[in-house]
Amino acid sequence: MVRSGHAWTVVCGAMAAMSCLRPARADDPMDAYNVVWETPGPDSSASMPIGNGHIGLNVWAEPGGDLLMLVGKTDSWSENGRLLKLGRIRVAMSPNPLAKGLPFRQTLRLRQGEIEVLGGKDARAVRTLVWVDANHPVVRIEATGQEPFDVTVKLEVWRTAPRELKDKEVHSAYSMAGGPDPIVVRPDTVLDDQPDRIVWYHRNETSCWPATMRLQGLEAFMRQSRDPLLHRTFGAAIRGHGLVKVDLATLKSERPAKKFAISACPLTSRTADAREWLKALDQRISAVDKLDLKASRQAHRKWWNDFWNRSWIRVTSTDKSLDPTTKPLPNRIGAHEAKRVSQRYALQRFISACAGRGAFPPKFNGSIFNYDARVPTETYDADYRRWGGCYWFQNTRLIYWPMLASGDFDTMRPLFNLFRDALPLAKARVKRYFGHDGAMFPETMTFWGAYANSNYGWDRKGKDVSHVDNRYIRWYWSGQLELIAIMLDYYAFTQDPQFAETTLLPIAEAVIRFTDEHYRRDDRGKILFQPAQALETWHEAVNPLPEIAGLRFCLPRLLALGENLTTSEQRRVWQRMLSELPPLPMRQAGGQDVLAAAEKLIGPISNSENPELYAVFPFRLFGVGKPDLDMARHTFGLRRVKGNQGWRQDDTQAAFLGLADQAAKHLTDRLSDKYLAGRFPVFWGPNFDWIPDQDHGSNAIMTLQTMLLQTDGKTIHLLPAWPAAWDVSFKLHAPMNTTIQAKVSQGQVTSLDVQPVHRAQDVVHHDLKSPPPAR
């Protein structure tokens, strides 16, 4: 990614004393995946992401020479249930090293977890380092030059007065759309009594929670819970040594200096009043002030170094016949395309980590890196995102599946915590709506566990409390079975009994109980899934495949947890339910049996999903090394909808079926530039959702991993869907705390290291010269 040129010889020569680049090591393969821009701006669509799992920045330089940062957070929920930005920070320097016509370079340095901006020339060159401390809740901006310069730091807020959302912008408050009351954005507060620092916050003095709970018939639950939005206060303080207050939202250097260190300390808290929040902020700042900056930077870089050493995939090619303009072929890959695949794999994993350790899961529709909307009919501020603040499980799940093979288990916990915390409400809803036990999580869910009001329905006249207006999600309950599947895999990988006892089993037991008690049995004694639906595509169905496949996949694995984790009563119920499941729905196509979306489909087609392939992924009943592989492949070949953008998962399912060429073709197309919306190489979208589309990139990660490695119980399938002409080195994780590190060259495994060593006996090697055999 490093480009040569006389201008940069001048800049780096002038900055040599400050160790302008300081690579981790001369031969670090991660350096090839760094993102380097040699021109600024023009706006936030040309921003780079950086974060620590809780706090995220979009960083860019304007052509006029200022450095800007949008500040996001995983828990900055507004009174309307929107996930807001905290604000925008503008940094200006004088003399301006980023002025038009001067050398410029902005680099995302992945190994170090930081953004470096170099500008100016000769002795007036300035190096600015932007990073979000991986171990502490603080944003760091360090500017260094050989000659003294001045710095001005400004806070920019756009929520300055009450404003009603109208027209398409209402979509960013999706849950409240169509309600009886206007949706009003409330202003932020910038404090005027804070010497030598800028302090601002957004405080929820109102909340949509009570109206939501009353609308959905959950008044009784309100008495035993606390409003999660009311008095939620989020903001930050900006300060720096040698900076003095100029006005309400501006700091300026007291005198020119060769070095400035600026810090922004964000905080979200629910407090009785703003003074209490400010007191908590002061305590946080006091803790940050005790940190040694150099030691913090070293610890931060160590965190990111350890992160990149957990796992990797590096596709390479020595095929010189394929130049950058050559369209890639499924069984061949040129050096340019190999680097694109590897870099974008790393960058998507990076984005997930930057937003993955917060109080709540990253949003599928932009994460915490959405920026000022500039889609032709949607030109709104950086708080906007299609589909608003609710979590669609169909979308959210795709961020999390690939974290297993990456070994990024710490970034999976916010998902599990979200559903664990919502479990009491999910149980109360089932009792209120249906009069039986168990738990039910809706497909579109607020972070505290309620339906989106716009889906539940505002007009309740003549409707039962359990009635959901939106037919796309009315009986869409298979997502909670997939949640159990993800948690079962997490336990298989980590072997963490505390997680099983406190999270997996309470949720699984309640969800399975809901299924057991909610559906009646037919005249054969089998569970009759009716009323039901097949994902969002068929709004009415009898015995849809996702429900049946989900239970056939999860129940045996729950039973396999054994006596140390489960009770005899749980095992009795689960075994009985397994015997009461109807068979997977099948149909005839060209004289052959193939999987069907449901036993019976009713009504028109309403979306573009393939429910029958849920038996391949996410519920892995069919695939490499399993029976009826030919039948599953034939089902895949006959799928009604074909596509590999956004949340569509053809490439992942092809990999699970051992279809190497198809998986490779879909993957390289998914990672091409045609799906990009922003300048950053993985700012995909909008596709079906918003920018950056987290499903699009996460599906790519999942596909590449699945091409290399698949697991089934103790068995590890090595290279089950890998093109013979693709060279690769990788390190991935497998169940039972196992790692597999290997190199493949010209269709041969040239090195293999399995840890612990005894797990090597469980590895099944697949011949790259021919596809995995069907059974």
Side-chain angles (χ1 to χ4, degrees), residues 194-212:
Q194 301 294 306
D196 297 336
R197 67 179 187 175
I198 303 167
V199 178
W200 81 103
Y201 61 83
H202 185 98
R203 180 171 171 81
N204 297 340
E205 297 293 0
T206 61
S207 167
C208 65
W209 184 80
T212 297

Side-chain angles (χ1 to χ4, degrees), residues 414-435:
L415 177 72
F416 304 143
N417 294 343
L418 177 83
F419 284 92
R420 184 195 61 203
D421 293 346
L423 183 59
L425 174 58
K427 289 181 174 180
R429 176 171 42 235
V430 169
K431 182 67 76 172
R432 174 74 175 89
Y433 287 10
F434 306 115

Side-chain angles (χ1 to χ4, degrees), residues 542-745:
V542 178
N543 286 344
L545 180 139
E547 275 76 1
I548 300 169
L551 288 164
R552 287 194 176 277
F553 183 69
C554 292
L555 285 172
R557 299 180 72 194
L558 287 168
L559 286 164
L561 293 176
E563 297 180 2
N564 290 337
L565 291 173
T566 63
T567 67
S568 58
E569 177 61 15
Q570 286 174 327
R571 296 191 297 276
R572 184 190 67 79
V573 170
W574 297 340
Q575 191 65 59
R576 171 180 56 76
M577 288 186 65
L578 194 57
S579 69
E580 293 173 347
L581 285 176
L584 288 173
M586 307 288 290
R587 66 183 179 91
Q588 281 276 307
Q592 297 184 47
D593 287 336
V594 294
L595 296 165
E599 181 180 311
K600 183 179 181 181
L601 296 168
I602 305 169
I605 295 169
S606 301
N607 208 331
S608 55
E609 301 152 309
N610 299 307
E612 67 278 9
L613 291 174
Y614 269 50
V616 175
F617 173 77
F619 305 123
R620 306 184 300 273
L621 299 178
F622 300 95
V624 172
K626 298 177 181 179
D628 298 316
L629 180 57
D630 270 346
M631 182 275 295
R633 287 175 175 171
H634 190 47
T635 303
F636 180 78
L638 294 174
R639 64 196 184 281
R640 184 182 64 87
V641 182
K642 298 181 180 181
N644 62 325
Q645 72 182 104
W647 44 254
R648 287 182 175 152
Q649 50 198 33
D650 286 21
D651 25 8
T652 298
Q653 289 167 338
F656 273 115
L657 292 170
L659 301 172
D661 286 356
Q662 291 191 48
K665 179 181 177 181
H666 288 314
L667 174 69
T668 52
D669 181 74
R670 181 185 288 272
L671 293 176
S672 67
D673 289 345
K674 70 181 182 181
Y675 297 112
L676 290 177
R679 186 180 187 184
F680 193 70
V682 294
F683 273 8
W684 318 104
N687 293 321
F688 309 107
D689 302 308
W690 199 235
I691 308 162
D693 178 2
Q694 296 307 287
D695 288 352
H696 188 92
S698 296
N699 260 325
I701 293 182
M702 183 76 174
T703 299
L704 196 60
Q705 294 172 344
T706 307
M707 291 165 67
L708 286 166
L709 205 69
Q710 296 177 30
T711 61
D712 181 21
K714 290 184 178 181
T715 302
I716 300 169
H717 292 278
L718 183 65
L719 310 178
W722 193 254
W726 288 28
D727 295 347
V728 68
S729 67
F730 71 90
K731 177 183 178 182
L732 292 172
H733 292 245
M736 302 171 62
N737 289 306
T738 302
T739 59
I740 296 92
Q741 186 171 336
K743 290 184 179 180
V744 179
S745 179

Side-chain angles (χ1 to χ4, degrees), residues 32 46 56 97 164 179 236 247 299 321 325 347 349 355 362 484 606 618 637 646 658 687-688 712 728 731 739 749 773:
E164 182 180 353
D247 58 37
S321 64
T325 62
L347 292 177
R349 183 171 167 239
I484 296 172
S606 301
N687 293 321
F688 309 107
D712 181 21
V728 68
K731 177 183 178 182
T739 59
V749 177

